[in-house]
């Protein structure tokens, strides 16, 4: 292969010195390569005639086949073209059931830099792993300890911290504790994937019962539902901090042990170095991390602990 590269330079430049300059080699190194070419091809290849190098008929025919091969190899091995958000009309697909605030911030950031691009914000169905591995989804969100299949890469982000929320004036606020936790109905959001719920884990310490009064399929209804009922909702802070502000909800310490929940984003190994994929991953993951911290700052000062 190296000899073919030298051969192409010799045919283009018509001299050993010219080829050496193009290749960044010494003239003696190019002369040595030419000698090897002649030996392996059993042909003079280029012959010095009257102060210039003239190609043999075989070399003239051969270069027509060699140039496309070398162009193809260079194209395959070349680094990816830089991604230009300003001109891109790419459709980015993100599978992430977390906060609408994350969605809006990502959308604003994306459209400010890439006004022609489109964002599809999807739920996380059971087939999400295959969709990501095949490159149909650029980035997906995963909570819990589920092991990822082969062909996917991941990065951990700040863990979910669980907090309960009720409406202002909720009767449970008068004596928040295990009894109130068990007395009033809870709302649960069902995510259609295989991620286990921390509520399903059995603790060595007996925990008060939780009665599910409503099972809904998405998070956008949680805020108004809690604000207009005596239900309790226990969710990650990043999911609820802005619902808390908008609907006047009160954050409470959950009455069962819910340790921080491992949280990750994952993507296809095939797209790990794709410039556009790298770009959108950074936007989503940086936005999530910043808003997760902000959610903690909003919730923590208002947090109501149990009566002792």
């Amino acid at each position: 292969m190296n000899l073919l590269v030298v051969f192409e330079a010799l045919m283009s430049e018509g001299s050993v010195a010219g080829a050496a300059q193009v290749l960044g080699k010494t003239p003696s190194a190019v002369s040595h390569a030419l000698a090897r070419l002649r030996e392996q091809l059993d042909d003079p290849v280029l012959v010095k005639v009257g102060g210039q190098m003239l190609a043999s008929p075989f070399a003239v025919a051969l270069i027509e086949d060699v140039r496309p091969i070398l162009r193809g190899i260079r194209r395959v091995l070349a680094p990816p073209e830089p991604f230009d958000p300003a001109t891109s009309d790419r459709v980015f697909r993100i599978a992430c059931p977390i906060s609408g605030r994350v969605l809006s911030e990502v959308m604003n950031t994306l459209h400010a830099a890439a006004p022609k691009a489109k964002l599809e914000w999807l739920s996380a169905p059971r087939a999400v792993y295959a969709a990501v591995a095949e490159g149909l989804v650029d980035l997906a969100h995963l909570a819990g300890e589920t092991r990822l299949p082969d062909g996917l890469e991941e990065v951990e982000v700040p863990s979910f911290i669980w907090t309960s929320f009720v409406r202002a004036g909720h009767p449970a606020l008068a004596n928040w504790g295990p009894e109130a936790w068990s007395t009033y109905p809870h709302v649960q959001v069902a995510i259609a994937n295989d991620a286990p719920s921390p509520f399903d884990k059995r603790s060595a310490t007996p925990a008060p019962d939780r009665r599910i009064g409503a099972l809904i399929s998405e998070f956008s209804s949680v805020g108004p539902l809690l604000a207009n009922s005596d239900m309790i909702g226990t969710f990650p802070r990043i999911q609820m901090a802005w619902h808390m502000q908008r609907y006047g909800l009160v954050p409470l310490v959950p009455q069962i042990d819910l340790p921080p929940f491992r949280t990750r984003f994952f993507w296809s190994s095939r797209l790990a170095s794709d410039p556009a994929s790298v770009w959108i991953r950074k936007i989503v993951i940086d936005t999530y991390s910043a808003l997760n911290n902000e959610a903690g700052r909003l919730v923590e000062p208002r947090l109501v602990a149990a009566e002792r």
Side-chain angles (χ1 to χ4, degrees):
M1 186 61 65
N2 290 333
L3 291 178
L4 289 179
V5 172
V6 174
F7 173 57
E8 182 190 35
L10 284 165
M11 293 295 289
S12 298
E13 299 300 319
S15 71
V16 170
Q21 185 173 2
V22 167
L23 297 172
K25 297 179 178 292
T26 64
S28 62
V30 174
S31 294
H32 178 68
L34 176 56
R36 291 178 60 201
L37 273 167
R38 287 168 173 163
E39 179 183 351
Q40 292 194 23
L41 298 175
D42 193 22
D43 186 86
V45 185
L46 290 111
V47 180
K48 193 169 185 179
V49 179
Q52 60 180 339
M53 302 288 286
L54 297 181
S56 70
F58 176 75
V60 172
L62 180 63
I63 192 62
E64 296 303 317
D65 292 328
V66 167
R67 282 189 172 125
I69 294 171
L70 293 178
R71 280 198 300 269
I73 292 172
R74 292 186 182 111
R75 184 171 61 252
V76 170
L77 297 180
E81 288 291 323
F83 174 65
D84 182 7
T87 61
S88 175
D89 60 356
R90 177 161 171 168
V91 177
F92 294 100
R93 295 180 177 87
I94 311 297
C96 186
I98 60 176
S99 169
R101 180 61 180 267
V102 175
L103 165 60
S104 61
E105 291 287 337
V106 168
M107 186 77 77
N108 291 338
T109 302
L110 181 144
H111 282 159
K116 298 179 182 179
K118 179 180 178 181
L119 180 65
E120 291 186 9
W121 198 268
L122 313 169
S123 62
R126 292 185 183 277
V128 68
Y129 301 120
V132 173
E134 293 170 12
L136 302 177
V137 172
D138 294 282
L139 183 68
H141 176 268
L142 176 71
E145 301 296 327
T146 304
R147 183 183 180 277
L148 291 178
D150 293 337
L152 300 175
E153 297 185 16
E154 65 181 1
V155 64
E156 290 203 27
V157 290
S159 298
F160 282 163
I161 297 178
W162 300 90
T163 301
S164 298
F165 294 88
V166 298
R167 65 176 175 87
H170 192 291
L173 292 172
N175 58 344
W176 178 241
E179 183 177 350
W181 171 273
S182 299
T183 299
Y184 297 97
H186 292 247
V187 58
Q188 180 177 343
V189 175
I191 302 298
N193 61 23
D194 296 323
S197 168
F199 292 94
D200 297 333
K201 292 184 176 180
R202 298 300 178 188
S203 173
T205 304
D209 292 332
R210 184 177 77 135
R211 176 168 59 89
I212 301 300
L215 185 64
I216 59 178
S217 61
E218 44 82 33
F219 283 98
S220 62
S221 302
V222 171
L225 176 59
L226 293 178
N228 292 282
S229 71
D230 284 343
M231 288 192 151
I232 300 170
T234 302
F235 301 105
R237 292 179 179 182
I238 191 171
Q239 203 48 273
M240 292 297 298
W242 295 276
H243 280 298
M244 177 190 75
Q245 288 186 313
R246 181 174 181 179
Y247 296 104
L249 304 178
V250 179
L252 308 166
V253 175
Q255 293 307 291
I256 61 174
D257 181 24
L258 292 170
F261 206 42
R262 186 183 184 194
T263 311
R264 293 167 283 170
F265 284 93
F266 63 96
W267 58 91
S268 172
S269 300
R270 296 193 300 128
L271 298 178
S273 299
D274 174 63
S277 298
V278 172
W279 182 78
I280 192 63
R281 285 202 301 269
K282 178 172 175 55
I283 288 177
V284 175
I285 294 170
D286 287 355
T287 299
Y288 171 89
S289 299
L291 289 178
N292 187 72
N293 291 336
E294 183 180 341
R297 291 192 295 269
L298 292 173
V299 170
E300 194 66 34
R302 305 184 188 186
L303 195 61
V304 175
E307 294 290 339
R308 298 299 181 188

